[in-house]
Amino acid sequence: MAQVYGALADLPIEWSDLTLDQALGPVLDLARVHGPSAYDAAYLQLAMREGLPLATQDDALRVAAERAGVPLME
């Protein structure tokens, strides 16, 4: 257990100050408009919010990202 804690403690984890409404609203909007699952929409929304390209091999998520204007990692 100590090894797991040590490995996690070394990760560069950042916390967000978003409220549930601030985070969930855009996720649900993406799911409604572009059709991914709520889980995939959350991943897509995170990439959008952080201005990062999306890394996925899921075809449906790739299509949703392209529709939303999110660049994909090659």
Side-chain angles (χ1 to χ4, degrees):
M1 185 60 112
Q3 289 176 324
V4 172
Y5 177 79
L8 290 174
D10 290 339
L11 292 174
I13 297 173
E14 296 181 24
W15 296 97
S16 173
D17 291 333
L18 293 176
T19 66
L20 181 60
D21 288 338
Q22 290 170 324
L24 193 55
V27 168
L28 295 177
D29 290 343
L30 283 171
R32 284 187 198 109
V33 172
H34 299 293
S37 67
Y39 176 86
D40 286 347
Y43 188 46
L44 178 58
Q45 204 280 324
L46 177 62
M48 293 172 73
R49 187 174 67 237
E50 296 296 320
L52 297 170
L54 187 71
T56 185
Q57 294 183 355
D58 182 276
D59 290 334
L61 183 52
R62 291 178 69 85
V63 168
E66 289 170 353
R67 287 183 188 161
V70 174
L72 297 167
M73 289 190 73
E74 297 297 323

Coordinates of all heavy atoms in Angstrom, one line a residue:
M1 N 0.8 -1.2 0.0 CA 0.0 0.0 0.0 C 0.9 1.3 0.0 O 0.5 2.2 -0.6 CB -0.9 0.0 1.2 CG -1.9 1.1 1.2 SD -3.0 1.1 -0.2 CE -4.5 0.8 0.5
A2 N 2.0 1.2 0.7 CA 2.9 2.4 0.8 C 3.4 2.7 -0.6 O 3.6 3.9 -1.0 CB 4.0 2.1 1.8
Q3 N 3.7 1.7 -1.4 CA 4.2 1.9 -2.8 C 3.2 2.6 -3.6 O 3.5 3.4 -4.4 CB 4.7 0.6 -3.4 CG 5.9 0.0 -2.8 CD 6.2 -1.4 -3.4 OE1 5.4 -2.1 -3.7 NE2 7.5 -1.6 -3.5
V4 N 2.0 2.2 -3.5 CA 0.9 2.8 -4.3 C 0.7 4.2 -3.9 O 0.6 5.1 -4.7 CB -0.5 2.0 -4.1 CG1 -1.6 2.8 -4.7 CG2 -0.4 0.6 -4.7
Y5 N 0.7 4.5 -2.6 CA 0.6 5.9 -2.1 C 1.8 6.7 -2.6 O 1.6 7.8 -3.1 CB 0.5 6.0 -0.6 CG 0.5 7.4 -0.1 CD1 -0.7 8.1 -0.1 CD2 1.7 8.0 0.3 CE1 -0.7 9.4 0.3 CE2 1.6 9.3 0.8 CZ 0.4 10.0 0.7 OH 0.4 11.3 1.1
G6 N 3.0 6.2 -2.6 CA 4.1 6.9 -3.1 C 4.1 7.2 -4.5 O 4.4 8.3 -5.0
A7 N 3.6 6.2 -5.3 CA 3.4 6.4 -6.8 C 2.4 7.5 -7.1 O 2.6 8.4 -7.9 CB 3.1 5.1 -7.5
L8 N 1.3 7.5 -6.3 CA 0.2 8.5 -6.5 C 0.7 9.9 -6.1 O 0.4 10.9 -6.7 CB -1.0 8.1 -5.8 CG -1.8 6.9 -6.4 CD1 -3.0 6.5 -5.5 CD2 -2.3 7.2 -7.8
A9 N 1.4 9.9 -5.0 CA 1.9 11.2 -4.5 C 2.9 11.9 -5.4 O 3.0 13.1 -5.4 CB 2.5 11.0 -3.1
D10 N 3.5 11.1 -6.2 CA 4.5 11.7 -7.2 C 3.9 12.2 -8.5 O 4.5 12.9 -9.3 CB 5.6 10.7 -7.5 CG 6.5 10.4 -6.4 OD1 6.6 11.2 -5.5 OD2 7.1 9.3 -6.4
L11 N 2.6 11.9 -8.7 CA 1.9 12.4 -9.9 C 1.6 13.9 -9.8 O 1.2 14.4 -8.8 CB 0.6 11.6 -10.1 CG 0.8 10.1 -10.4 CD1 -0.6 9.4 -10.5 CD2 1.5 9.9 -11.7
P12 N 1.7 14.6 -11.0 CA 1.4 16.0 -11.0 C -0.1 16.2 -11.1 O -0.6 16.7 -12.1 CB 2.1 16.5 -12.2 CG 2.1 15.3 -13.1 CD 2.2 14.1 -12.3
I13 N -0.8 15.9 -10.1 CA -2.3 16.0 -10.1 C -2.7 17.4 -9.8 O -2.2 18.1 -8.8 CB -2.9 15.1 -9.0 CG1 -2.6 13.6 -9.4 CG2 -4.4 15.3 -8.9 CD1 -3.0 12.6 -8.4
E14 N -3.6 18.0 -10.6 CA -4.1 19.3 -10.4 C -5.6 19.2 -10.1 O -6.4 18.4 -10.6 CB -3.9 20.2 -11.6 CG -2.5 20.4 -12.0 CD -2.3 21.3 -13.2 OE1 -3.2 22.0 -13.5 OE2 -1.3 21.2 -13.8
W15 N -6.1 20.1 -9.1 CA -7.5 20.1 -8.8 C -8.2 21.3 -9.5 O -7.6 22.3 -9.7 CB -7.6 20.3 -7.2 CG -7.1 19.2 -6.5 CD1 -5.8 19.1 -5.9 CD2 -7.7 17.9 -6.2 NE1 -5.7 17.8 -5.3 CE2 -6.8 17.1 -5.5 CE3 -8.9 17.4 -6.6 CZ2 -7.1 15.8 -5.1 CZ3 -9.2 16.1 -6.2 CH2 -8.3 15.3 -5.4
S16 N -9.5 21.1 -9.7 CA -10.3 22.1 -10.4 C -11.2 22.7 -9.3 O -11.7 22.0 -8.4 CB -11.1 21.5 -11.5 OG -12.0 22.5 -12.0
D17 N -11.4 24.0 -9.4 CA -12.3 24.7 -8.5 C -13.8 24.8 -9.1 O -14.6 25.6 -8.6 CB -11.8 26.1 -8.2 CG -10.6 26.1 -7.4 OD1 -10.4 25.1 -6.6 OD2 -9.8 27.0 -7.5
L18 N -14.0 24.1 -10.2 CA -15.4 24.1 -10.8 C -16.4 23.5 -9.8 O -16.2 22.5 -9.1 CB -15.4 23.3 -12.0 CG -14.6 23.8 -13.2 CD1 -14.7 22.8 -14.4 CD2 -15.1 25.2 -13.6
T19 N -17.6 24.2 -9.8 CA -18.7 23.6 -9.1 C -19.3 22.5 -9.9 O -19.0 22.3 -11.1 CB -19.8 24.6 -8.8 OG1 -20.4 25.0 -10.0 CG2 -19.2 25.8 -8.0
L20 N -20.1 21.7 -9.3 CA -20.8 20.6 -10.0 C -21.6 21.1 -11.2 O -21.5 20.6 -12.3 CB -21.7 19.8 -9.1 CG -22.4 18.6 -9.7 CD1 -21.4 17.6 -10.3 CD2 -23.4 18.0 -8.7
D21 N -22.3 22.2 -11.0 CA -23.1 22.8 -12.1 C -22.2 23.3 -13.2 O -22.5 23.2 -14.4 CB -24.0 24.0 -11.6 CG -25.1 23.5 -10.8 OD1 -25.5 22.3 -10.9 OD2 -25.7 24.3 -10.0
Q22 N -21.1 23.9 -12.9 CA -20.2 24.4 -13.9 C -19.5 23.3 -14.7 O -19.3 23.5 -15.9 CB -19.0 25.3 -13.2 CG -19.5 26.6 -12.7 CD -18.4 27.2 -11.8 OE1 -17.6 26.6 -11.2 NE2 -18.3 28.6 -11.9
A23 N -19.3 22.2 -14.1 CA -18.7 21.1 -14.8 C -19.7 20.2 -15.5 O -19.5 19.8 -16.6 CB -17.9 20.2 -13.8
L24 N -20.8 20.0 -14.9 CA -21.8 19.0 -15.4 C -22.6 19.7 -16.6 O -22.9 19.0 -17.5 CB -22.8 18.6 -14.3 CG -23.7 17.4 -14.6 CD1 -22.8 16.2 -15.1 CD2 -24.5 17.0 -13.4
G25 N -23.0 20.9 -16.5 CA -23.8 21.6 -17.5 C -23.1 21.4 -18.9 O -23.8 20.9 -19.8
P26 N -21.9 21.8 -19.1 CA -21.2 21.7 -20.4 C -21.1 20.2 -20.9 O -21.2 19.9 -22.0 CB -19.9 22.3 -20.2 CG -20.0 23.3 -19.1 CD -21.0 22.6 -18.2
V27 N -20.9 19.3 -19.9 CA -20.8 17.9 -20.3 C -22.1 17.4 -20.8 O -22.2 16.7 -21.9 CB -20.4 17.1 -19.0 CG1 -20.5 15.6 -19.3 CG2 -18.9 17.4 -18.6
L28 N -23.2 17.7 -20.2 CA -24.5 17.3 -20.6 C -24.9 17.9 -22.0 O -25.4 17.3 -22.9 CB -25.6 17.6 -19.6 CG -25.5 16.8 -18.3 CD1 -26.5 17.2 -17.3 CD2 -25.5 15.3 -18.5
D29 N -24.5 19.2 -22.2 CA -24.7 19.8 -23.4 C -24.0 19.1 -24.6 O -24.5 18.9 -25.6 CB -24.3 21.3 -23.4 CG -25.2 22.2 -22.5 OD1 -26.3 21.7 -22.2 OD2 -24.7 23.3 -22.1
L30 N -22.7 18.8 -24.3 CA -21.9 18.1 -25.3 C -22.5 16.7 -25.6 O -22.6 16.3 -26.8 CB -20.5 17.8 -24.9 CG -19.6 19.0 -25.0 CD1 -18.2 18.8 -24.3 CD2 -19.3 19.4 -26.4
A31 N -23.0 16.0 -24.6 CA -23.6 14.7 -24.8 C -24.9 14.8 -25.7 O -25.1 14.0 -26.6 CB -23.9 14.0 -23.5
R32 N -25.7 15.9 -25.4 CA -26.9 16.1 -26.2 C -26.6 16.4 -27.6 O -27.3 16.0 -28.6 CB -27.7 17.2 -25.5 CG -28.5 16.7 -24.3 CD -29.4 17.8 -23.8 NE -29.8 17.5 -22.4 CZ -29.3 18.2 -21.4 NH1 -28.6 19.3 -21.5 NH2 -29.7 17.9 -20.2
V33 N -25.7 17.3 -27.8 CA -25.4 17.9 -29.2 C -24.6 16.9 -30.1 O -24.9 16.7 -31.2 CB -24.7 19.2 -29.1 CG1 -24.2 19.7 -30.5 CG2 -25.5 20.3 -28.4
H34 N -23.6 16.3 -29.5 CA -22.7 15.5 -30.3 C -22.8 14.0 -30.1 O -22.2 13.2 -30.8 CB -21.2 15.9 -30.0 CG -21.0 17.3 -30.4 ND1 -21.0 17.7 -31.6 CD2 -20.7 18.4 -29.6 CE1 -20.7 19.0 -31.7 NE2 -20.5 19.4 -30.4
G35 N -23.7 13.5 -29.1 CA -24.0 12.2 -28.9 C -23.1 11.2 -28.2 O -23.5 10.0 -28.1
P36 N -22.0 11.6 -27.6 CA -21.2 10.6 -26.9 C -21.9 10.3 -25.5 O -22.8 11.0 -25.1 CB -19.9 11.3 -26.7 CG -20.2 12.8 -26.6 CD -21.4 12.9 -27.6
S37 N -21.4 9.3 -24.9 CA -21.9 9.0 -23.5 C -21.5 10.1 -22.6 O -20.6 10.9 -22.9 CB -21.2 7.6 -23.1 OG -19.8 7.8 -22.9
A38 N -22.1 10.1 -21.4 CA -21.7 11.2 -20.5 C -20.2 11.0 -20.1 O -19.6 12.1 -19.9 CB -22.6 11.0 -19.2
Y39 N -19.7 9.8 -20.0 CA -18.3 9.6 -19.7 C -17.4 10.2 -20.8 O -16.5 11.0 -20.5 CB -18.0 8.2 -19.5 CG -16.5 7.9 -19.2 CD1 -16.0 7.9 -18.0 CD2 -15.7 7.6 -20.3 CE1 -14.7 7.7 -17.7 CE2 -14.3 7.3 -20.1 CZ -13.8 7.4 -18.8 OH -12.5 7.1 -18.6
D40 N -17.7 9.9 -22.0 CA -16.9 10.4 -23.1 C -17.1 11.9 -23.3 O -16.2 12.6 -23.6 CB -17.3 9.7 -24.4 CG -16.8 8.3 -24.5 OD1 -15.9 7.9 -23.7 OD2 -17.2 7.6 -25.4
A41 N -18.3 12.4 -23.0 CA -18.5 13.9 -23.1 C -17.7 14.6 -22.0 O -17.2 15.7 -22.2 CB -20.0 14.2 -22.9
A42 N -17.5 14.0 -20.8 CA -16.7 14.6 -19.8 C -15.3 14.7 -20.2 O -14.6 15.7 -20.0 CB -16.8 13.8 -18.5
Y43 N -14.8 13.6 -20.8 CA -13.4 13.6 -21.3 C -13.2 14.7 -22.4 O -12.3 15.4 -22.5 CB -13.1 12.2 -21.9 CG -11.7 11.9 -22.3 CD1 -10.6 12.3 -21.5 CD2 -11.5 11.2 -23.5 CE1 -9.3 12.0 -21.9 CE2 -10.2 10.9 -23.9 CZ -9.1 11.3 -23.1 OH -7.8 11.0 -23.4
L44 N -14.2 14.8 -23.3 CA -14.2 15.7 -24.4 C -14.2 17.2 -23.8 O -13.5 18.0 -24.2 CB -15.4 15.5 -25.3 CG -15.6 16.4 -26.5 CD1 -14.4 16.5 -27.4 CD2 -16.8 16.0 -27.3
Q45 N -15.1 17.4 -22.9 CA -15.2 18.7 -22.3 C -13.9 19.1 -21.5 O -13.5 20.3 -21.6 CB -16.4 18.8 -21.3 CG -17.0 20.1 -21.1 CD -16.2 21.0 -20.1 OE1 -15.7 20.5 -19.1 NE2 -16.2 22.3 -20.3
L46 N -13.3 18.2 -20.9 CA -12.0 18.4 -20.2 C -11.0 18.9 -21.3 O -10.2 19.9 -21.0 CB -11.5 17.2 -19.5 CG -10.1 17.4 -18.8 CD1 -10.2 18.4 -17.7 CD2 -9.7 16.0 -18.2
A47 N -10.9 18.2 -22.4 CA -9.9 18.6 -23.4 C -10.3 20.0 -23.9 O -9.4 20.8 -24.1 CB -10.0 17.6 -24.6
M48 N -11.5 20.3 -24.1 CA -11.9 21.7 -24.5 C -11.6 22.7 -23.5 O -11.0 23.8 -23.9 CB -13.5 21.7 -24.8 CG -13.9 20.8 -25.9 SD -15.7 20.7 -26.1 CE -16.1 22.3 -26.7
R49 N -11.9 22.4 -22.2 CA -11.6 23.4 -21.2 C -10.1 23.7 -21.0 O -9.7 24.8 -20.8 CB -12.2 22.9 -19.9 CG -12.2 23.9 -18.7 CD -12.9 23.5 -17.5 NE -12.2 22.3 -16.9 CZ -12.8 21.2 -16.6 NH1 -14.1 20.9 -16.9 NH2 -12.1 20.2 -16.0
E50 N -9.3 22.7 -21.1 CA -7.9 22.8 -21.0 C -7.2 23.2 -22.2 O -6.0 23.5 -22.2 CB -7.3 21.5 -20.4 CG -7.8 21.1 -19.0 CD -7.4 22.2 -18.0 OE1 -6.3 22.7 -18.0 OE2 -8.3 22.4 -17.1
G51 N -7.9 23.2 -23.4 CA -7.3 23.6 -24.6 C -6.2 22.5 -25.1 O -5.2 22.9 -25.7
L52 N -6.5 21.3 -24.9 CA -5.6 20.2 -25.2 C -6.2 19.3 -26.3 O -7.4 19.2 -26.4 CB -5.3 19.4 -24.0 CG -4.6 20.1 -22.8 CD1 -4.6 19.2 -21.6 CD2 -3.2 20.5 -23.2
P53 N -5.4 18.7 -27.1 CA -5.9 17.7 -28.0 C -6.4 16.5 -27.3 O -6.0 16.2 -26.2 CB -4.7 17.4 -28.9 CG -3.5 17.7 -28.1 CD -3.9 18.8 -27.1
L54 N -7.3 15.8 -27.9 CA -7.9 14.6 -27.3 C -7.2 13.3 -27.8 O -6.9 13.2 -29.0 CB -9.4 14.5 -27.8 CG -10.2 13.5 -27.1 CD1 -10.5 13.8 -25.6 CD2 -11.6 13.3 -27.8
A55 N -6.9 12.4 -26.9 CA -6.3 11.2 -27.2 C -7.3 10.1 -27.1 O -7.8 9.8 -26.0 CB -5.1 10.9 -26.4
T56 N -7.7 9.4 -28.2 CA -8.7 8.3 -28.1 C -8.6 7.5 -29.3 O -8.1 7.9 -30.4 CB -10.1 8.9 -27.9 OG1 -11.0 7.8 -27.8 CG2 -10.5 9.7 -29.2
Q57 N -8.9 6.2 -29.2 CA -9.0 5.3 -30.3 C -10.5 5.0 -30.5 O -10.8 4.2 -31.4 CB -8.2 4.1 -30.0 CG -6.7 4.4 -30.0 CD -5.9 3.1 -29.8 OE1 -6.4 2.0 -29.6 NE2 -4.6 3.3 -29.9
D58 N -11.4 5.6 -29.8 CA -12.8 5.3 -29.9 C -13.4 6.1 -31.1 O -13.3 7.4 -31.1 CB -13.5 5.7 -28.6 CG -15.0 5.4 -28.7 OD1 -15.7 6.3 -29.2 OD2 -15.4 4.4 -28.2
D59 N -13.9 5.4 -32.1 CA -14.4 6.1 -33.3 C -15.5 7.1 -33.0 O -15.5 8.2 -33.6 CB -14.9 5.1 -34.3 CG -13.7 4.3 -34.9 OD1 -12.6 4.8 -34.9 OD2 -14.0 3.2 -35.4
A60 N -16.4 6.8 -32.2 CA -17.5 7.7 -31.9 C -17.0 9.0 -31.2 O -17.5 10.1 -31.4 CB -18.6 7.0 -31.0
L61 N -16.1 8.8 -30.3 CA -15.5 9.9 -29.6 C -14.7 10.8 -30.5 O -14.7 12.0 -30.4 CB -14.7 9.5 -28.3 CG -14.1 10.6 -27.5 CD1 -15.2 11.6 -27.0 CD2 -13.4 10.0 -26.3
R62 N -14.0 10.2 -31.4 CA -13.2 10.9 -32.4 C -14.2 11.8 -33.3 O -13.9 13.0 -33.5 CB -12.4 10.0 -33.3 CG -11.3 9.3 -32.6 CD -10.6 8.3 -33.5 NE -9.8 9.0 -34.5 CZ -8.6 9.5 -34.4 NH1 -8.0 9.4 -33.2 NH2 -8.0 10.1 -35.3
V63 N -15.3 11.2 -33.7 CA -16.3 12.0 -34.5 C -16.8 13.1 -33.7 O -17.0 14.3 -34.2 CB -17.4 11.1 -35.0 CG1 -18.6 11.8 -35.6 CG2 -16.9 10.1 -36.0
A64 N -17.2 12.9 -32.4 CA -17.7 14.0 -31.5 C -16.7 15.1 -31.4 O -17.0 16.2 -31.4 CB -18.2 13.4 -30.2
A65 N -15.4 14.7 -31.2 CA -14.4 15.7 -31.0 C -14.2 16.5 -32.3 O -14.1 17.8 -32.2 CB -13.0 15.0 -30.7
E66 N -14.3 15.9 -33.4 CA -14.1 16.6 -34.7 C -15.3 17.6 -34.9 O -15.1 18.7 -35.3 CB -14.1 15.6 -35.9 CG -12.7 14.9 -35.9 CD -12.7 13.8 -36.9 OE1 -13.7 13.4 -37.5 OE2 -11.6 13.2 -37.1
R67 N -16.5 17.1 -34.5 CA -17.7 18.0 -34.6 C -17.6 19.2 -33.7 O -18.1 20.3 -34.0 CB -19.0 17.2 -34.3 CG -19.4 16.3 -35.3 CD -20.7 15.6 -34.9 NE -21.0 14.5 -35.9 CZ -21.9 13.6 -35.6 NH1 -22.4 13.5 -34.4 NH2 -22.1 12.6 -36.5
A68 N -17.0 19.0 -32.5 CA -16.9 20.0 -31.5 C -15.6 20.9 -31.7 O -15.4 21.9 -31.0 CB -16.8 19.4 -30.1
G69 N -14.8 20.6 -32.8 CA -13.7 21.4 -33.1 C -12.5 21.1 -32.2 O -11.6 22.0 -32.0
V70 N -12.4 20.0 -31.5 CA -11.3 19.6 -30.6 C -10.3 18.8 -31.5 O -10.6 17.8 -32.1 CB -11.8 18.7 -29.5 CG1 -10.7 18.3 -28.6 CG2 -12.8 19.5 -28.6
P71 N -9.1 19.3 -31.5 CA -8.0 18.6 -32.2 C -7.7 17.2 -31.6 O -7.9 17.0 -30.4 CB -6.8 19.5 -32.1 CG -7.0 20.4 -30.9 CD -8.5 20.5 -30.8
L72 N -7.4 16.3 -32.4 CA -7.0 14.9 -32.0 C -5.5 14.7 -32.0 O -4.9 15.2 -32.9 CB -7.7 13.9 -32.9 CG -9.3 13.9 -32.9 CD1 -9.8 13.1 -34.0 CD2 -9.8 13.4 -31.6
M73 N -5.1 13.9 -31.0 CA -3.6 13.6 -31.0 C -3.4 12.5 -32.1 O -4.3 11.7 -32.3 CB -3.2 13.0 -29.7 CG -3.2 14.0 -28.6 SD -2.4 13.4 -27.1 CE -0.7 13.4 -27.6
E74 N -2.3 12.7 -32.8 CA -2.0 11.7 -33.9 C -1.2 10.5 -33.3 O -0.5 10.6 -32.4 CB -1.2 12.4 -35.0 CG -2.1 13.5 -35.6 CD -3.3 13.0 -36.4 OE1 -3.2 11.9 -36.9 OE2 -4.3 13.7 -36.3

